[in-house]
Amino acid sequence: RDVMSALGRHKLLVFGLPLLLMAGALAYSIMSKPGYTSTAQVFVDPRDRTLPRETPVSNLPGDGILLVESQLKLITSDEVLGRVAQKLNLKDDPAFSKPSGLLSPLRALLGMKSDIDPALATLRTLRLNTSAKRMDRSFVLDVSASAQTPEKAVLIANSVAETYLESLADAEAGFNKKTSDAINARLEDLRQAVQKSENEVEAFRS
């Protein structure tokens, strides 16, 4: 009788709260949009490359792990993601161009315009929906991207991986240019040394 009496006194809390939670869960399941995540894998070559120079340079410790970990930061950097956003024209995509935050829905409901740059809002949303991690005991990186459609998730993940590889190609071109400049500088030093020796020989003969 005490239990039934307590339930009767608190029937609004006992039965109303579960019904309210069920109604909220049902509304969320109806209003929420599905999300999809796609993953692209990238292999990072940890082998070191050195410029031709007179003194050797010590390699990084950890068998290239530090190099691979640094590539994780490069994949999700503003430079790579900014190029992806520009390539895919994500600033015109409502899912990425709308500013994120707790007050954003309230601002939109009140008709208030956000003072955030659309390009910055797109980059921020893309960063929140993109991640990279290294597979255990390997030099393979998993690049994951989330979107509202599976096609867009695949497109973004592949674009991030391709843009990252393009940045590596640009760095490779810069490395080759530095190597060529170093070789040319070394050849110029040798030519000047030979010319100096020939001048000294000629002066000795005279």
Side-chain angles (χ1 to χ4, degrees), residues 188-204:
E188 181 64 21
D189 294 339
L190 293 176
R191 188 189 66 81
Q192 293 179 1
V194 171
Q195 185 65 36
K196 181 180 178 181
S197 299
E198 291 179 352
N199 293 337
E200 291 178 352
V201 171
E202 186 66 24
F204 176 77

Side-chain angles (χ1 to χ4, degrees), residues 2-167:
D2 292 339
V3 172
M4 296 303 297
S5 177
L7 292 178
R9 289 195 304 270
H10 303 285
K11 58 183 178 181
L12 182 62
L13 179 63
V14 173
F15 299 103
L17 184 58
L19 292 177
L20 181 62
L21 293 177
M22 291 176 60
L26 180 61
Y28 175 77
S29 63
I30 294 176
M31 297 177 60
S32 63
K33 298 180 180 180
Y36 301 89
T37 301
S38 178
T39 301
Q41 292 184 337
V42 178
F43 172 74
V44 178
D45 190 357
R47 290 175 296 182
D48 192 17
R49 297 165 300 173
T50 58
L51 289 172
R53 61 187 70 198
E54 297 179 356
T55 57
V57 180
S58 59
N59 294 328
L60 293 176
D63 296 332
I65 296 299
L66 293 179
L67 175 62
V68 177
E69 293 293 338
S70 64
Q71 299 306 307
L72 292 175
K73 302 297 182 181
L74 180 60
I75 291 179
T76 55
S77 64
D78 291 345
E79 179 182 359
V80 173
L81 295 184
R83 292 170 61 179
V84 171
Q86 184 177 4
K87 182 188 301 182
L88 301 181
N89 200 19
L90 294 180
K91 65 178 182 179
D92 296 333
D93 190 341
F96 288 88
S97 59
K98 292 182 180 179
S100 59
L102 297 177
L103 299 180
S104 297
L106 181 59
R107 289 177 177 270
L109 183 62
L110 297 178
M112 300 174 59
K113 295 184 178 180
S114 175
D115 54 352
I116 301 178
D117 185 13
L120 182 60
T122 301
L123 181 60
R124 181 183 301 174
T125 305
L126 180 60
R127 188 186 301 112
L128 292 176
N129 289 275
T130 306
S131 63
K133 66 178 181 178
R134 181 177 65 87
M135 296 182 61
D136 294 339
R137 307 176 68 84
S138 70
F139 298 115
V140 178
L141 305 181
D142 285 341
V143 183
S144 301
S146 301
Q148 295 180 355
T149 60
E151 296 80 9
K152 181 59 70 66
V154 171
L155 180 62
I156 294 177
N158 290 335
S159 297
V160 172
E162 292 172 359
T163 304
Y164 163 72
L165 294 178
E166 291 173 359
S167 66

Side-chain angles (χ1 to χ4, degrees), residues 168-180:
L168 289 185
D170 295 340
E172 180 74 17
F175 177 83
N176 292 335
K177 185 178 183 303
K178 290 182 179 179
T179 302
S180 177

